[in-house]
Amino acid sequence: LAAEFQRLAKPTLEDPIAFLRSSLLVAHERILAYARHKRMSDAPRTTLVAALVQEGLAYWIHCGDSRLYWVRGTQLQARTRDHSYVEMERSGPMKLAHRLLNRNVLYTCLGADAAPVFAVSGPHVLQHGDRIMLCSDGLWDVLKEQVLIQHLGSQPVQDAVPALVDAALTAAGSRSDNVTALAMQWEVADQVEH
């Protein structure tokens, strides 16, 4: 996605939504091409979450269970919905056996044989001080959502992100998954305090 952005942004993109869609599909195809080139019996697979901010507007795309959180103050404005059976259960009834067998199973990702299912969102108007965080399930799965929102909304991002990562690693202990997080704070030039 970064390479595609560098290639196409001059300095902005005409259609951010189309860019996010096509870039996700390019990434998926490159994973499959890598597997073919290396003669792998099964391609590597990954989740993806990406945000694009230009001209005060935020757009995002995700596939799988890596998440985006958008916080204003200490209020959650939006978060992505995982492509998992657990999240599917929240939006409709599921049989108990199916739910138990597929507790953390994703139904889509990049690198699978089937075309990825993904969700794209935007444009969303950002206000001064808004924070956006992208993170892996190693972070959000072990910390309560309110803890994430509180830390992200009440501390500078350069303090909140390391504190959240440390808290997730401590809480998970030896069963810790990949804990990855990246955050930004939107600032409007005439509202920045000196």
Side-chain angles (χ1 to χ4, degrees):
L1 269 76
E4 287 295 292
F5 181 82
Q6 292 297 323
R7 186 175 70 82
L8 297 173
K10 306 286 182 195
T12 59
L13 299 165
E14 277 187 41
D15 188 343
I17 296 287
F19 165 79
L20 289 169
R21 284 185 178 128
S22 65
S23 296
L24 178 138
L25 294 173
V26 166
H28 174 69
E29 288 303 321
R30 288 190 180 160
I31 291 169
L32 295 176
Y34 175 84
R36 285 190 302 271
H37 175 74
K38 296 291 186 180
R39 295 189 172 116
M40 300 172 83
S41 60
D42 199 11
R45 297 175 188 203
T46 189
T47 63
L48 178 137
V49 62
L52 190 150
V53 176
Q54 70 178 30
E55 299 174 337
L57 301 173
Y59 309 80
W60 55 81
I61 193 166
H62 80 285
C63 175
D65 63 356
S66 291
R67 288 185 181 174
L68 176 141
Y69 289 87
W70 172 24
V71 175
R72 178 173 295 146
T74 55
Q75 297 298 309
L76 180 65
Q77 299 299 301
R79 92 153 165 87
T80 54
R81 298 288 164 207
D82 309 333
H83 296 113
S84 68
Y85 291 106
V86 170
E87 198 81 349
M88 188 186 295
E89 174 193 359
R90 291 182 184 136
S91 60
M94 283 179 61
K95 292 181 182 176
L96 179 61
H98 188 70
R99 184 174 67 233
L100 293 174
L101 290 172
N102 295 297
R103 176 154 158 35
N104 292 315
V105 176
L106 302 178
Y107 58 82
T108 190
C109 62
L110 300 187
D113 292 334
V117 174
F118 56 87
V120 66
S121 186
H124 301 283
V125 178
L126 295 175
Q127 292 182 11
H128 182 77
D130 283 3
R131 283 104 186 268
I132 293 176
M133 180 173 70
L134 312 176
C135 63
S136 66
D137 62 339
L139 183 76
W140 65 257
D141 192 37
V142 296
L143 299 177
K144 292 186 180 197
E145 189 164 273
Q146 198 51 46
V147 170
L148 292 172
I149 295 164
Q150 183 64 33
H151 272 73
L152 190 58
S154 64
Q155 300 176 7
V157 291
Q158 66 268 22
D159 298 333
V161 171
L164 287 168
V165 168
D166 288 345
L169 291 169
T170 300
S174 62
R175 53 180 187 75
S176 180
D177 194 357
N178 167 17
V179 180
T180 305
L182 173 70
M184 60 151 282
Q185 178 174 318
W186 181 250
E187 294 185 352
V188 179
D190 62 354
Q191 293 184 16
V192 175
E193 297 177 14
H194 296 284

